[in-house]
Short mmCIF file of all heavy atoms in Angstrom, two decimals:
data_model
loop_
_atom_site.label_atom_id
_atom_site.label_comp_id
_atom_site.label_asym_id
_atom_site.label_seq_id
_atom_site.Cartn_x
_atom_site.Cartn_y
_atom_site.Cartn_z
N PRO A 1 19.12 -138.57 -54.76
CA PRO A 1 18.05 -138.84 -53.78
C PRO A 1 17.94 -140.32 -53.41
O PRO A 1 17.62 -140.65 -52.27
CB PRO A 1 16.79 -138.34 -54.49
CG PRO A 1 17.26 -137.33 -55.46
CD PRO A 1 18.59 -137.82 -55.92
N VAL A 2 18.18 -141.21 -54.37
CA VAL A 2 18.16 -142.65 -54.07
C VAL A 2 19.25 -143.00 -53.08
O VAL A 2 19.03 -143.77 -52.12
CB VAL A 2 18.32 -143.47 -55.37
CG1 VAL A 2 18.38 -144.96 -55.06
CG2 VAL A 2 17.20 -143.16 -56.34
N GLN A 3 20.43 -142.42 -53.29
CA GLN A 3 21.53 -142.69 -52.37
C GLN A 3 21.22 -142.15 -50.97
O GLN A 3 21.53 -142.80 -49.97
CB GLN A 3 22.80 -142.05 -52.90
CG GLN A 3 24.05 -142.40 -52.09
CD GLN A 3 25.26 -141.64 -52.56
OE1 GLN A 3 25.14 -140.62 -53.23
NE2 GLN A 3 26.44 -142.12 -52.21
N GLN A 4 20.60 -140.97 -50.90
CA GLN A 4 20.24 -140.41 -49.59
C GLN A 4 19.23 -141.29 -48.87
O GLN A 4 19.28 -141.45 -47.65
CB GLN A 4 19.68 -139.00 -49.77
CG GLN A 4 20.70 -137.98 -50.24
CD GLN A 4 21.85 -137.84 -49.26
OE1 GLN A 4 22.97 -138.27 -49.52
NE2 GLN A 4 21.58 -137.25 -48.12
N MET A 5 18.31 -141.88 -49.63
CA MET A 5 17.34 -142.80 -49.03
C MET A 5 18.05 -144.03 -48.47
O MET A 5 17.71 -144.51 -47.37
CB MET A 5 16.31 -143.21 -50.08
CG MET A 5 15.21 -144.13 -49.56
SD MET A 5 14.08 -144.62 -50.87
CE MET A 5 15.19 -145.59 -51.91
N LEU A 6 19.05 -144.53 -49.20
CA LEU A 6 19.81 -145.68 -48.71
C LEU A 6 20.61 -145.32 -47.47
O LEU A 6 20.78 -146.15 -46.57
CB LEU A 6 20.75 -146.19 -49.81
CG LEU A 6 20.07 -146.84 -51.02
CD1 LEU A 6 21.10 -147.16 -52.09
CD2 LEU A 6 19.35 -148.11 -50.59
N VAL A 7 21.11 -144.09 -47.41
CA VAL A 7 21.85 -143.64 -46.22
C VAL A 7 20.94 -143.65 -45.00
O VAL A 7 21.34 -144.06 -43.90
CB VAL A 7 22.44 -142.25 -46.45
CG1 VAL A 7 22.99 -141.66 -45.15
CG2 VAL A 7 23.54 -142.30 -47.50
N CYS A 8 19.69 -143.22 -45.19
CA CYS A 8 18.74 -143.22 -44.06
C CYS A 8 18.42 -144.63 -43.59
O CYS A 8 18.19 -144.86 -42.38
CB CYS A 8 17.46 -142.49 -44.47
SG CYS A 8 17.69 -140.74 -44.83
N LYS A 9 18.41 -145.59 -44.51
CA LYS A 9 18.04 -146.96 -44.14
C LYS A 9 19.23 -147.81 -43.71
O LYS A 9 19.13 -148.62 -42.78
CB LYS A 9 17.33 -147.64 -45.32
CG LYS A 9 15.97 -147.04 -45.62
CD LYS A 9 15.25 -147.83 -46.69
CE LYS A 9 13.85 -147.28 -46.92
NZ LYS A 9 13.09 -148.04 -47.95
N LEU A 10 20.38 -147.62 -44.39
CA LEU A 10 21.55 -148.47 -44.12
C LEU A 10 22.62 -147.77 -43.30
O LEU A 10 23.59 -148.42 -42.89
CB LEU A 10 22.16 -148.96 -45.44
CG LEU A 10 21.23 -149.73 -46.37
CD1 LEU A 10 21.96 -150.12 -47.66
CD2 LEU A 10 20.68 -150.98 -45.68
N GLY A 11 22.49 -146.48 -43.10
CA GLY A 11 23.51 -145.75 -42.36
C GLY A 11 24.62 -145.26 -43.29
O GLY A 11 24.58 -145.43 -44.50
N GLU A 12 25.65 -144.65 -42.68
CA GLU A 12 26.77 -144.10 -43.44
C GLU A 12 27.71 -145.22 -43.88
O GLU A 12 28.68 -145.55 -43.21
CB GLU A 12 27.52 -143.06 -42.59
CG GLU A 12 26.76 -141.78 -42.35
CD GLU A 12 26.60 -140.97 -43.64
OE1 GLU A 12 27.36 -141.22 -44.60
OE2 GLU A 12 25.72 -140.11 -43.69
N ARG A 13 27.40 -145.81 -45.01
CA ARG A 13 28.25 -146.84 -45.62
C ARG A 13 28.48 -146.42 -47.06
O ARG A 13 27.78 -146.89 -47.98
CB ARG A 13 27.58 -148.20 -45.52
CG ARG A 13 27.24 -148.60 -44.08
CD ARG A 13 26.40 -149.87 -44.02
NE ARG A 13 27.15 -151.03 -44.50
CZ ARG A 13 26.64 -152.25 -44.59
NH1 ARG A 13 25.35 -152.45 -44.27
NH2 ARG A 13 27.37 -153.25 -45.01
N PRO A 14 29.42 -145.52 -47.30
CA PRO A 14 29.56 -144.87 -48.62
C PRO A 14 29.72 -145.85 -49.78
O PRO A 14 29.06 -145.71 -50.82
CB PRO A 14 30.81 -143.99 -48.45
CG PRO A 14 30.93 -143.78 -46.99
CD PRO A 14 30.40 -145.02 -46.34
N ASN A 15 30.60 -146.85 -49.62
CA ASN A 15 30.85 -147.77 -50.73
C ASN A 15 29.62 -148.62 -51.06
O ASN A 15 29.26 -148.79 -52.23
CB ASN A 15 32.03 -148.68 -50.40
CG ASN A 15 33.35 -147.93 -50.37
OD1 ASN A 15 33.58 -147.05 -51.20
ND2 ASN A 15 34.20 -148.26 -49.43
N VAL A 16 28.97 -149.14 -50.01
CA VAL A 16 27.80 -149.99 -50.22
C VAL A 16 26.65 -149.19 -50.82
O VAL A 16 25.99 -149.63 -51.77
CB VAL A 16 27.38 -150.66 -48.89
CG1 VAL A 16 26.09 -151.45 -49.07
CG2 VAL A 16 28.49 -151.56 -48.37
N ASN A 17 26.40 -148.01 -50.27
CA ASN A 17 25.30 -147.18 -50.78
C ASN A 17 25.52 -146.76 -52.24
O ASN A 17 24.60 -146.80 -53.05
CB ASN A 17 25.14 -145.94 -49.90
CG ASN A 17 24.69 -146.28 -48.50
OD1 ASN A 17 24.03 -147.30 -48.28
ND2 ASN A 17 25.05 -145.45 -47.54
N ALA A 18 26.77 -146.38 -52.56
CA ALA A 18 27.07 -145.99 -53.93
C ALA A 18 26.94 -147.17 -54.89
O ALA A 18 26.42 -147.03 -56.01
CB ALA A 18 28.48 -145.40 -54.01
N LEU A 19 27.37 -148.35 -54.45
CA LEU A 19 27.29 -149.54 -55.31
C LEU A 19 25.84 -149.94 -55.56
O LEU A 19 25.45 -150.26 -56.70
CB LEU A 19 28.06 -150.69 -54.67
CG LEU A 19 28.14 -151.98 -55.49
CD1 LEU A 19 28.84 -151.72 -56.82
CD2 LEU A 19 28.88 -153.07 -54.69
N ILE A 20 25.01 -149.92 -54.52
CA ILE A 20 23.59 -150.27 -54.69
C ILE A 20 22.90 -149.25 -55.60
O ILE A 20 22.12 -149.62 -56.50
CB ILE A 20 22.89 -150.34 -53.33
CG1 ILE A 20 23.47 -151.49 -52.49
CG2 ILE A 20 21.39 -150.53 -53.50
CD1 ILE A 20 22.91 -151.56 -51.09
N THR A 21 23.19 -147.98 -55.40
CA THR A 21 22.60 -146.93 -56.25
C THR A 21 23.00 -147.12 -57.71
O THR A 21 22.18 -146.99 -58.62
CB THR A 21 23.05 -145.54 -55.77
OG1 THR A 21 22.71 -145.38 -54.38
CG2 THR A 21 22.37 -144.45 -56.58
N LEU A 22 24.27 -147.45 -57.93
CA LEU A 22 24.75 -147.66 -59.29
C LEU A 22 24.09 -148.88 -59.94
O LEU A 22 23.75 -148.86 -61.13
CB LEU A 22 26.26 -147.82 -59.28
CG LEU A 22 26.97 -147.78 -60.62
CD1 LEU A 22 26.71 -146.47 -61.34
CD2 LEU A 22 28.47 -147.99 -60.44
N CYS A 23 23.89 -149.94 -59.17
CA CYS A 23 23.21 -151.14 -59.70
C CYS A 23 21.76 -150.82 -60.09
O CYS A 23 21.27 -151.28 -61.13
CB CYS A 23 23.25 -152.27 -58.67
SG CYS A 23 24.89 -152.97 -58.42
N ILE A 24 21.08 -150.02 -59.27
CA ILE A 24 19.72 -149.61 -59.59
C ILE A 24 19.70 -148.83 -60.90
O ILE A 24 18.84 -149.03 -61.77
CB ILE A 24 19.12 -148.78 -58.44
CG1 ILE A 24 18.96 -149.65 -57.19
CG2 ILE A 24 17.78 -148.16 -58.85
CD1 ILE A 24 18.54 -148.86 -55.96
N CYS A 25 20.68 -147.91 -61.06
CA CYS A 25 20.78 -147.12 -62.29
C CYS A 25 21.03 -148.02 -63.50
O CYS A 25 20.43 -147.81 -64.56
CB CYS A 25 21.91 -146.10 -62.14
SG CYS A 25 22.31 -145.23 -63.67
N MET A 26 21.87 -149.02 -63.34
CA MET A 26 22.17 -149.92 -64.45
C MET A 26 20.92 -150.67 -64.90
O MET A 26 20.67 -150.80 -66.11
CB MET A 26 23.25 -150.92 -64.03
CG MET A 26 24.63 -150.30 -63.80
SD MET A 26 25.41 -149.78 -65.34
CE MET A 26 25.69 -151.38 -66.11
N PHE A 27 20.13 -151.14 -63.96
CA PHE A 27 18.98 -151.97 -64.30
C PHE A 27 17.82 -151.17 -64.87
O PHE A 27 17.08 -151.66 -65.73
CB PHE A 27 18.51 -152.78 -63.08
CG PHE A 27 19.33 -154.01 -62.84
CD1 PHE A 27 20.22 -154.07 -61.78
CD2 PHE A 27 19.23 -155.11 -63.68
CE1 PHE A 27 20.98 -155.21 -61.55
CE2 PHE A 27 20.00 -156.25 -63.46
CZ PHE A 27 20.88 -156.30 -62.40
N ILE A 28 17.63 -149.94 -64.41
CA ILE A 28 16.45 -149.19 -64.85
C ILE A 28 16.78 -148.18 -65.95
O ILE A 28 15.85 -147.65 -66.58
CB ILE A 28 15.76 -148.47 -63.68
CG1 ILE A 28 16.62 -147.33 -63.13
CG2 ILE A 28 15.40 -149.44 -62.60
CD1 ILE A 28 15.94 -146.51 -62.06
N VAL A 29 18.06 -147.90 -66.21
CA VAL A 29 18.41 -146.89 -67.22
C VAL A 29 19.38 -147.45 -68.26
O VAL A 29 19.05 -147.51 -69.45
CB VAL A 29 19.02 -145.62 -66.57
CG1 VAL A 29 19.46 -144.64 -67.64
CG2 VAL A 29 18.02 -144.97 -65.64
N VAL A 30 20.56 -147.85 -67.84
CA VAL A 30 21.64 -148.16 -68.78
C VAL A 30 21.29 -149.36 -69.65
O VAL A 30 21.37 -149.30 -70.89
CB VAL A 30 22.96 -148.40 -68.02
CG1 VAL A 30 24.07 -148.78 -68.99
CG2 VAL A 30 23.36 -147.14 -67.24
N ILE A 31 20.90 -150.48 -69.03
CA ILE A 31 20.61 -151.69 -69.80
C ILE A 31 19.42 -151.49 -70.75
O ILE A 31 19.51 -151.85 -71.93
CB ILE A 31 20.39 -152.89 -68.85
CG1 ILE A 31 21.69 -153.21 -68.11
CG2 ILE A 31 19.90 -154.11 -69.61
CD1 ILE A 31 21.57 -154.32 -67.09
N PRO A 32 18.28 -150.92 -70.30
CA PRO A 32 17.19 -150.66 -71.26
C PRO A 32 17.58 -149.75 -72.41
O PRO A 32 17.15 -149.97 -73.56
CB PRO A 32 16.10 -150.02 -70.39
CG PRO A 32 16.36 -150.54 -69.02
CD PRO A 32 17.85 -150.61 -68.92
N VAL A 33 18.40 -148.72 -72.15
CA VAL A 33 18.83 -147.83 -73.23
C VAL A 33 19.69 -148.57 -74.24
O VAL A 33 19.56 -148.38 -75.45
CB VAL A 33 19.58 -146.61 -72.64
CG1 VAL A 33 20.29 -145.83 -73.75
CG2 VAL A 33 18.62 -145.69 -71.90
N LEU A 34 20.58 -149.44 -73.76
CA LEU A 34 21.41 -150.23 -74.67
C LEU A 34 20.56 -151.14 -75.54
O LEU A 34 20.80 -151.27 -76.75
CB LEU A 34 22.42 -151.04 -73.87
CG LEU A 34 23.55 -150.26 -73.18
CD1 LEU A 34 24.43 -151.21 -72.37
CD2 LEU A 34 24.38 -149.50 -74.20
N VAL A 35 19.56 -151.77 -74.93
CA VAL A 35 18.67 -152.65 -75.71
C VAL A 35 17.89 -151.84 -76.75
O VAL A 35 17.74 -152.26 -77.91
CB VAL A 35 17.70 -153.39 -74.77
CG1 VAL A 35 16.66 -154.17 -75.57
CG2 VAL A 35 18.47 -154.34 -73.85
N LEU A 36 17.42 -150.66 -76.35
CA LEU A 36 16.67 -149.81 -77.27
C LEU A 36 17.54 -149.35 -78.44
O LEU A 36 17.11 -149.36 -79.59
CB LEU A 36 16.10 -148.61 -76.52
CG LEU A 36 15.27 -147.62 -77.33
CD1 LEU A 36 14.03 -148.29 -77.88
CD2 LEU A 36 14.90 -146.41 -76.49
N ILE A 37 18.76 -148.93 -78.14
CA ILE A 37 19.66 -148.47 -79.20
C ILE A 37 19.97 -149.60 -80.18
O ILE A 37 19.98 -149.41 -81.40
CB ILE A 37 20.96 -147.89 -78.59
CG1 ILE A 37 20.66 -146.59 -77.85
CG2 ILE A 37 22.01 -147.66 -79.67
CD1 ILE A 37 21.85 -146.01 -77.12
#
């Protein structure tokens, strides 16, 4: 759903949208989980 929201705002830019979505996931999920573990 985050990627679909970026598609609506930035248009069909698959690489950019996927990269931004992945960075959001890293900051709000992956890095905090690593710190917690």
Side-chain angles (χ1 to χ4, degrees):
V2 177
Q3 187 186 19
Q4 292 300 109
M5 182 182 66
L6 291 174
V7 170
C8 296
K9 292 186 176 181
L10 303 179
E12 289 292 341
R13 304 172 66 183
N15 291 321
V16 175
N17 294 333
L19 184 60
I20 295 175
T21 305
L22 191 59
C23 290
I24 294 173
C25 171
M26 292 289 293
F27 279 107
I28 68 175
V29 176
V30 177
I31 294 177
V33 168
L34 290 177
V35 173
L36 181 63
I37 291 175

